[in-house]
């Protein structure tokens, strides 16, 4: 064997490529499993989440390939691989946060699912409050608060889905349940 077979830079490259590839594959698998098992149609951030996944893949795949292929005969590849390992976890975290997020109605409950947590607020409770003080302006915040200090808050600018229909349904459920008491 030649003396370059166990070059520390090559070993570092292999370890970093394995780490980066594992992070990207796990992120895609986790998002796919979460979407199949826990996602319900309603309000969501899916487009932003998928954009962050694609951007993390771009940094994690094409940046190191470009470094090994085009710059300085491959010596810049390790540097670009280290940069990718530094930036990709942040983009993957944003992708997971946005992709694994939904708000929906479940009978008389408003449910917000984010990654491993779920908040359920009963709209039939008389102490539940829906705050939409500036409805349908360019950007406003919506909050649904319950007596148990639970809160579901989101910004209308970042949310995808039919916000008007969702708020109308929440108010309709709230009105039906509180008048029937």
């Amino acid at each position: 064997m030649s003396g370059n077979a166990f070059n520390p830079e090559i070993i570092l490259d292999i370890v970093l490529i394995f780490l980066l590839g594992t992070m990207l594959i796990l992120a895609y698998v986790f998002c796919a499993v979460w979407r199949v098992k826990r996602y319900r149609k309603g309000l969501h951030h899916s487009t932003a989440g998928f954009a962050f996944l694609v951007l993390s893949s771009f940094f994690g795949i094409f940046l190191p390939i470009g470094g090994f292929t085009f710059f300085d005969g491959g010596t810049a590849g390790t540097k670009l691989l280290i940069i990718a390992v530094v930036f990709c976890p942040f983009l993957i975290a944003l992708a997971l946060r946005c992709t694994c997020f939904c708000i929906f109605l479940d009978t008389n409950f408003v449910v917000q699912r984010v990654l491993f947590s779920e908040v359920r607020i009963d709209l039939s409770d008389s102490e539940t409050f829906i705050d939409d003080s500036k409805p349908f302006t360019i950007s406003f915040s919506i909050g649904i608060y319950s007596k148990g200090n639970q809160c579901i808050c989101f910004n209308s600018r970042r949310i995808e889905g039919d916000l008007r229909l969702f708020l109308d349904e929440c108010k309709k459920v709230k009105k039906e349940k509180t008048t029937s008491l």
Side-chain angles (χ1 to χ4, degrees):
M1 293 194 128
S2 68
N4 287 339
F6 294 106
N7 185 353
E9 187 174 347
I10 293 172
I11 294 172
L12 177 66
D13 292 342
I14 292 170
V15 169
L16 291 178
I17 287 170
F18 179 76
L19 177 70
L20 192 59
T22 303
M23 281 192 308
L24 289 171
I25 289 170
L26 286 176
Y28 276 100
V29 168
F30 185 80
C31 287
V33 168
W34 192 93
R35 299 281 293 187
V36 168
K37 298 225 180 234
R38 304 212 10 114
Y39 178 77
R40 291 264 313 262
K41 189 159 177 76
L43 304 178
H44 54 90
H45 293 158
S46 297
T47 303
F50 293 130
F52 284 126
L53 274 177
V54 169
L55 191 61
S56 68
S57 297
F58 174 77
F59 275 116
I61 296 170
F62 296 116
L63 194 64
I65 288 174
F68 285 116
T69 306
F70 300 112
F71 302 120
D72 299 334
T75 57
T78 303
K79 294 173 188 165
L80 290 175
L81 189 58
I82 291 170
I83 290 171
V85 169
V86 169
F87 282 116
C88 277
F90 297 114
L91 293 173
I92 289 172
L94 285 172
L96 288 174
R97 185 179 188 292
C98 292
T99 306
C100 302
F101 172 88
C102 63
I103 299 173
F104 59 93
L105 283 171
D106 185 17
T107 60
N108 59 333
F109 288 93
V110 176
V111 181
Q112 176 183 358
R113 287 186 180 155
V114 180
L115 285 177
F116 302 113
S117 67
E118 181 176 291
V119 175
R120 299 177 74 85
I121 296 179
D122 189 1
L123 289 173
S124 64
D125 188 6
S126 62
E127 295 182 20
T128 300
F129 176 68
I130 301 172
D131 180 21
D132 61 340
S133 55
K134 298 184 216 173
F136 312 112
T137 56
I138 293 173
S139 176
F140 64 100
S141 293
I142 298 169
I144 302 171
Y145 307 95
S146 73
K147 66 178 178 179
N149 293 329
Q150 289 185 323
C151 172
I152 297 175
C153 296
F154 51 93
N155 189 317
S156 66
R157 180 173 288 189
R158 295 186 191 112
I159 207 81
E160 298 172 39
D162 194 348
L163 188 59
R164 184 179 303 268
L165 178 65
F166 180 78
L167 283 175
D168 289 344
E169 287 294 319
C170 286
K171 289 177 182 178
K172 183 174 143 186
V173 168
K174 174 88 175 128
K175 186 175 182 181
E176 286 175 0
K177 298 299 180 181
T178 54
T179 56
S180 66
L181 295 176

